[in-house]
Amino acid sequence: MTRAPEGLRFSIVLRRSLLTLRGFSLAWLLFAQLLSGVARAERPRYDLALRVDPAGRDLSGLARITFINQSTVPLHQVLLWRYPDRFAVRSAALNDFNFYWVYPARFNPSTMRIVAARAWGQPVAVELGDHRQAGPRTLLKVVLPRPLQPGEGTTLEIDFNIRLPERYGAFGCHRGTCILSGGFYPMLPPFCPSGFDLNAPPARADFDLSLSVPFTADVLIQGEHSTVAAGATRRIALVDVRAPVLVVGRPRYRTEVLLHRGVRVVYHVTSPRPVKTPPDFVVPYWPPDRAGRVLSAARQAIDLVAGLGLPLPAGGVLHLFDGALRTEVALALPGAVLVSDRAFDVFPMGPFLLAHERALVRAIFDEYVEGIVGPFERPMDEGWAPDVAASFLTDRYAQAAAPGRSNTGRPGPSTPRETVARVGFLPAADKILYAPQVPFATAYFYTLADPDPLRDNLAQFNNDWPRGRTLYAKLLDLLGEQGVERIARDQLGGMPVRAAAEAAHGGPLDWFFAQWLGPYPSVDYRFREVRTTREGGRFKVSLIVEKIGPQPPVEPVEVQVRDREGRAQSQIWDGRGREHHYLFVLDAAVSVIQLDPRGRLTEELPGSNDDLKFGERLPSRWKFILGSTTLSAGTGTVNAEVNFSLSRVRDLKNSLRFTLLHNELNTIAVTGLYTRWFGPKANPGRLGWNVSAGLTAARVPALGAAGTGNAPGAALTTSASLAWDDRLYLWEPIRAHSLSLSASYTLTVLDNGMTASRGDAAASWQWLTRLHDGHGLALQLSSGIVFGDIAAAQQLISSGGPTGLRGFSQGELLGLGSLLGRVEYRHVFVHSLNLNLMSTYYLRGLSGALFAEAGITTGCQSYAIDSSSPAVDVGYGLNFIADWFGLAQDVIGFSVAVPLVRPDRDCFGMHTPAPGRSPVVFLLNFGPPW
């Protein structure tokens, strides 16, 4: 375990004692300043001479690193972090739906090249090393010419060059501006007794930084702005910081300033200055007043701090700046807060705006707390500890923000989840509620795990520790609100978080930190037995809750029982052991039994194909989901399909689906389908395999020329299918495999009295792969065959239409059998747009698809293949990638298809192509691509 330097530890102990003696405040101040000088002498020092070219994404520099060996062993080599190489290899956490929230166009690697290294003024050898969490080649090993003894100091000189990545976030460049939140120089880890602590954030240090640019540029260092002329040098000294934060780009920032309670809030923003509007002013087409809302949130944060009697921000200044950030609304960086340039850029509905505001305030509190506790916290805890007190302050802020307030001031839902639940019957809303694949998800939908899959920030890139909000939530469960408030106050008084927690608890908490500092424990909580009995006029509910997992955590587990009169009882198990027996006595019959009614538990169990929250509410709730609505028009016909499904909330294994259909072959058709899902999860809300059985009743039109088959009628179909689909993201799948096999039997009764039966079988295979970022290939093969009493065109299968050859109508290519092939080249024109149409529809990107399709259709009365069997078309589609209200993903596609080989066919008197039909087919599609 890493220990703080002796001078710093003594300073902390003394500060705790003197804080309780108000009469000695002056003595404490003088002595603390003396001891801080001792601690400063032990900190590393960086002298950095840098040249940054944001247009070329190039950084070169010389780093002089002066430090003392604070370990207890001689050092034969010095370890330094090569943080840019964290981005040299494509992260496994990048997937179909989050890729374009990190990279605007394509993945491009970043790397640090070491030009030369010197120690004690003489050249030394360097080696590259891997780190389990940080990644390959992220460690620089400087081999010393002689051992560096404990307590001995030296200076390393390293010439280096960095190719900066084009990416969003806190380390990368976008549109000529580079944001570098530390890591743009070789970084020294903190010392531990055996050498270096490679799990802790980089060591706090003093910096003397000089920067030059090839053209006139805006430069922000720790949020302080200046304009640097071409060839000029900007110099700044920083004392006791975790890392310098550097922003360099062509001049585009303007500055908004707020002076409140003696604190100067400085916000550097790139958006134009809109007309200021009151917080509750709602005009959907009005540009968002980002600066006004940011400064208003900062003002309220300062008021909260002052109202709690806490110290104001260190130095009396709070720095914020905006930048290209897509995964979170705001990030706390050393000395400044990075605000997304899409903050508050959502439909101006109260809960959504409040969610952005609270995420921003949390980042402000994070930076505020880090500026106070950083010098006193243990290095190994510095990455997450400030977020404990910041989460407490954020909760207090949320409580003071009038829950239930809508954007118009009228009562309304207080959270985005409640707002989205109002339209939970929409498939997009259902996905947002139960498997969110949306930007800013952690702002909209609070989770105790608080995940950051990429873990690219300086606090998490080299470890598997959680954020501080997870520790705060678990401390809240353990100690209650008064306990966590005491912890937060002690932290802001200079006490390390572990000591503050143990003081509030009244005893050691080694078991607690061992349990929660690391990957989230694997656990699933389940009802094992539930029994309800009636004795006299009272009802007894006896139930057992068990926890499944290799090493489940110890945490409070609440069960709530509500009777039919609306009265609720709750009991809490302390979580020790593998199971617990609950007993409730009620005055009325049971209405609902719910495990974890306040959402305090996060359940993760690798390999499980359940939603681990399913079954924790008895009886289960049902949900109605309006499915996809497809409308395709072309060749004088209109095809329309509407479907909806019923399933229990969080049940991944059972669903009922109902479809209403109209096309050339069905005047009207109604289908009911039961599906059983199984196998591994394709995404958090769907399993890969499914088996379905269904029944369809249809009214079929008259087709063809006069004859026995030229009469409308009715058809009844039974069907069964087996399917596999592993696509992670329906809207923009990059990689996917799918396979489906189906069979059905249809009985057709025409109005003229003719009766016929038909069987059919079909198979389909699809494969999507990434050729390069923004470029993909999609292939599809499908086939079908019909058999039985085939006497009318309605009984045949079609090779045309939106799901077949798109250059043909659904009634053109009828036959007893078909074999189709599709190949589609998909490419992205741009994916970094932000076109706001009345704050309702946000256009994010444009993509295209060039396709070619071919098929062979057998005869209508035999399985023979002749010259009228082949058909070929080509076409191109343009897709508008967008989201509704800044939240729900959507794709609108416009396609044009042109038949190249268009056979003349005569099928039960139905001649195709029909005279006068256009040679070009236009299609409009609302929904995911095939």
Side-chain angles (χ1 to χ4, degrees):
M1 183 178 296
T2 303
R3 296 173 60 86
E6 291 295 333
L8 184 54
R9 292 204 308 275
F10 182 60
S11 171
I12 294 170
V13 172
L14 183 62
R15 179 167 181 168
R16 291 183 206 164
S17 302
L18 291 179
L19 280 175
T20 63
L21 303 173
R22 297 182 181 273
F24 291 96
S25 59
L26 180 59
W28 154 243
L29 178 62
L30 295 174
F31 203 67
Q33 290 177 344
L34 174 63
L35 292 177
S36 66
V38 176
R40 186 179 303 115
E42 295 178 342
R43 286 194 301 266
R45 175 184 175 83
Y46 293 81
D47 292 282
L48 301 176
L50 307 174
R51 183 183 185 277
V52 180
D53 179 4
R57 293 189 286 115
D58 179 79
L59 184 151
S60 58
L62 168 64
R64 293 185 178 88
I65 310 172
T66 302
F67 63 96
I68 296 172
N69 179 6
Q70 299 176 32
S71 73
T72 60
V73 298
L75 297 179
H76 298 271
Q77 62 181 10
V78 176
L79 300 182
L80 299 170
W81 288 113
R82 298 173 73 236
Y83 179 70
D85 284 74
R86 167 72 173 178
F87 311 100
V89 178
R90 190 186 188 96
S91 171
L94 288 173
N95 53 42
D96 294 22
F97 71 86
N98 70 17
F99 178 84
Y100 287 111
W101 304 342
V102 181
Y103 290 91
R106 61 190 59 85
F107 174 78
N108 55 95
S110 173
T111 189
M112 173 185 285
R113 184 173 64 92
I114 304 302
V115 178
R118 294 172 293 278
W120 286 294
Q122 56 181 300
V124 293
V126 297
E127 301 173 359
L128 302 182
D130 302 340
H131 186 268
R132 182 177 63 89
Q133 294 289 344
R137 300 164 62 90
T138 51
L139 279 174
L140 177 66
K141 301 177 182 179
V142 180
V143 181
L144 298 177
R146 64 172 178 82
L148 183 65
Q149 299 300 323
E152 183 183 5
T154 189
T155 297
L156 300 180
E157 293 184 349
I158 300 176
D159 295 290
F160 62 96
N161 177 266
I162 300 175
R163 175 62 174 172
L164 298 170
E166 181 183 9
R167 68 191 300 272
Y168 300 128
F171 193 88
C173 306
H174 178 59
R175 292 180 177 169
T177 297
C178 296
I179 301 175
L180 305 172
S181 60
F184 51 89
Y185 51 91
M187 295 187 297
L188 191 71
F191 285 95
C192 65
S194 60
F196 295 98
D197 186 347
L198 296 181
N199 291 319
R204 299 181 69 88
D206 300 335
F207 292 83
D208 191 339
L209 187 150
S210 64
L211 170 71
S212 63
V213 290
F215 50 80
T216 300
D218 276 346
V219 173
L220 278 70
I221 302 176
Q222 304 305 90
E224 294 186 4
H225 175 269
S226 61
T227 300
V228 179
T233 299
R234 168 85 160 94
R235 298 182 183 277
I236 191 170
L238 304 173
V239 176
D240 194 13
V241 297
R242 181 151 48 96
V245 174
L246 181 63
V247 181
V248 183
R250 293 193 180 277
R252 55 199 297 259
Y253 280 101
R254 62 181 181 84
T255 301
E256 299 267 0
V257 179
L258 167 70
L259 185 61
H260 184 60
R261 291 183 180 267
V263 178
R264 189 166 178 263
V265 182
V266 182
Y267 179 36
H268 305 292
V269 60
T270 57
S271 60
R273 181 179 286 107
V275 176
K276 291 188 180 297
T277 58
D280 293 332
F281 184 71
V282 177
V283 178
Y285 53 81
W286 207 270
D289 181 10
R290 181 176 301 111
R293 290 191 174 275
V294 168
L295 294 178
S296 174
R299 179 196 300 270
Q300 295 175 66
I302 294 169
D303 285 340
L304 178 69
V305 168
L308 291 173
L310 299 172
L312 293 175
V317 64
L318 177 63
H319 290 288
L320 305 100
F321 66 95
D322 76 4
L325 179 64
R326 301 287 181 269
T327 54
E328 300 197 54
V329 174
L331 281 177
L333 306 177
V337 175
L338 168 59
V339 182
S340 172
D341 55 9
R342 291 187 182 174
F344 302 107
D345 197 2
V346 292
F347 187 79
M349 187 176 290
F352 295 152
L353 294 174
L354 286 174
H356 280 226
E357 181 181 296
R358 291 171 187 173
L360 168 64
V361 165
R362 179 187 172 191
I364 290 174
F365 286 141
D366 263 324
E367 197 280 324
Y368 156 71
V369 175
E370 200 275 340
I372 295 175
V373 309
F376 302 98
E377 192 54 75
R378 298 195 308 176
M380 66 180 302
D381 295 334
E382 191 180 344
W384 58 267
D387 201 22
V388 174
S391 296
F392 161 75
L393 293 172
T394 304
D395 275 3
R396 283 296 180 91
Y397 180 90
Q399 293 169 10
R405 182 191 69 185
S406 72
N407 54 312
T408 60
R410 296 189 297 271
S414 60
T415 67
R417 182 177 294 277
E418 293 171 348
T419 303
V420 173
R422 288 186 167 185
V423 289
F425 59 88
L426 298 176
D430 181 69
K431 290 181 176 65
I432 290 170
L433 288 171
Y434 301 110
Q437 295 177 332
V438 298
F440 306 148
T442 55
Y444 295 130
F445 307 105
Y446 176 89
T447 60
L448 297 184
D450 198 17
D452 177 9
L454 295 176
R455 301 184 66 88
D456 284 341
N457 62 76
L458 291 183
Q460 292 185 300
F461 83 101
N462 60 341
N463 57 66
D464 56 8
W465 300 337
R467 298 191 194 183
R469 187 163 72 177
T470 301
L471 275 295
Y472 161 76
K474 299 308 176 185
L475 287 168
L476 184 64
D477 288 338
L478 181 68
L479 303 174
E481 291 189 5
Q482 290 184 347
V484 295
E485 180 172 358
R486 176 179 172 182
I487 292 171
R489 290 184 179 278
D490 284 347
Q491 275 191 277
L492 293 169
M495 186 182 294
V497 66
R498 293 185 193 236
E502 290 178 344
H505 180 62
L509 284 176
D510 292 341
W511 66 270
F512 176 88
F513 292 107
Q515 175 174 278
W516 294 115
L517 280 179
Y520 206 94
S522 297
V523 65
D524 178 23
Y525 295 95
R526 298 179 180 176
F527 287 125
R528 197 180 73 194
E529 295 179 12
V530 178
R531 295 180 182 177
T532 303
T533 59
R534 182 171 184 175
E535 296 181 6
R538 311 198 78 185
F539 296 83
K540 286 187 176 181
V541 180
S542 174
L543 58 91
I544 295 177
V545 171
E546 63 178 351
K547 49 185 175 182
I548 310 298
Q551 292 182 324
V554 176
E555 59 182 335
V557 181
E558 180 181 4
V559 172
Q560 183 185 87
V561 177
R562 186 178 298 275
D563 65 25
R564 292 182 180 175
E565 300 296 328
R567 295 173 295 228
Q569 294 184 27
S570 292
Q571 294 180 19
I572 297 178
W573 164 36
D574 64 9
R576 299 188 182 277
R578 284 277 183 169
E579 63 180 45
H580 181 72
H581 178 258
Y582 297 78
L583 180 63
F584 296 86
V585 179
L586 310 175
D587 293 326
V590 176
S591 173
V592 173
I593 303 173
Q594 190 166 359
L595 192 155
D596 188 31
R598 296 180 300 128
R600 301 298 301 172
L601 304 176
T602 295
E603 299 177 60
E604 298 182 359
L605 198 61
S608 171
N609 66 348
D610 286 309
D611 185 314
L612 299 181
K613 291 287 188 180
F614 176 64
E616 294 182 5
R617 185 184 189 276
L618 304 174
S620 298
R621 290 173 295 176
W622 286 76
K623 59 182 180 180
F624 167 89
I625 305 297
L626 179 65
S628 60
T629 301
T630 302
L631 178 66
S632 300
T635 62
T637 64
V638 175
N639 300 324
E641 179 180 350
V642 179
N643 58 70
F644 65 90
S645 64
L646 290 173
S647 65
R648 291 178 294 181
V649 172
R650 297 187 180 276
D651 183 359
L652 302 185
K653 296 186 176 180
N654 302 277
S655 66
L656 292 171
R657 192 176 189 87
F658 301 90
T659 302
L660 187 66
L661 173 70
H662 165 76
N663 57 29
E664 285 186 274
L665 303 183
N666 297 274
T667 304
I668 189 72
V670 179
T671 299
L673 190 72
Y674 166 73
T675 301
R676 173 70 178 181
W677 301 82
F678 60 99
K681 289 183 179 180
N683 64 41
R686 182 172 55 84
L687 303 183
W689 286 100
N690 70 79
V691 175
S692 300
L695 183 66
T696 301
R699 178 70 178 173
V700 295
L703 294 177
T708 57
N710 187 23
L716 186 67
T717 301
T718 60
S719 62
S721 66
L722 171 68
W724 159 259
D725 192 336
D726 68 351
R727 69 192 65 205
L728 175 68
Y729 187 51
L730 295 177
W731 296 101
E732 291 181 85
I734 296 175
R735 293 186 180 90
H737 295 83
S738 66
L739 174 68
S740 66
L741 304 172
S742 63
S744 67
Y745 169 77
T746 302
L747 177 65
T748 303
V749 180
L750 299 182
D751 291 352
N752 60 13
M754 187 188 79
T755 301
S757 60
R758 179 199 84 163
D760 73 71
S764 178
W765 169 82
Q766 293 182 9
W767 177 65
L768 280 70
T769 188
R770 181 182 70 91
L771 301 176
H772 188 63
D773 289 333
H775 301 269
L777 184 67
L779 302 177
Q780 180 182 33
L781 289 176
S782 60
S783 63
I785 188 172
V786 297
F787 48 87
D789 302 327
I790 308 300
Q794 295 95 328
Q795 297 175 280
L796 302 174
I797 61 175
S798 173
S799 300
T803 60
L805 303 187
R806 284 167 277 186
F808 301 83
S809 72
Q810 200 161 11
E812 276 192 272
L813 302 176
L814 300 176
L816 293 175
S818 70
L819 176 65
L820 307 179
R822 280 181 172 183
V823 58
E824 188 166 285
Y825 164 64
R826 298 175 177 176
H827 61 104
V828 176
F829 290 110
V830 61
H831 214 297
S832 55
L833 299 177
N834 188 33
L835 181 60
N836 179 348
L837 301 180
M838 298 187 68
S839 295
T840 301
Y841 183 81
Y842 292 82
L843 182 63
R844 306 302 191 192
L846 293 172
S847 68
L850 177 65
F851 59 86
E853 304 165 331
I856 296 176
T857 308
T858 69
C860 297
Q861 296 174 313
S862 74
Y863 296 104
I865 297 175
D866 55 28
S867 59
S868 66
S869 295
V872 179
D873 68 26
V874 296
Y876 188 82
L878 187 64
N879 299 311
F880 294 82
I881 304 162
D883 52 62
W884 293 102
F885 310 109
L887 187 68
Q889 276 62 55
D890 183 52
V891 174
I892 299 177
F894 296 92
S895 300
V896 176
V898 179
L900 296 184
V901 177
R902 191 169 200 169
D904 293 324
R905 296 177 64 85
D906 190 338
C907 191
F908 291 101
M910 193 174 176
H911 299 281
T912 57
R917 284 202 169 179
S918 168
V920 178
V921 177
F922 298 91
L923 300 105
L924 172 64
N925 182 66
F926 297 91
W930 58 271

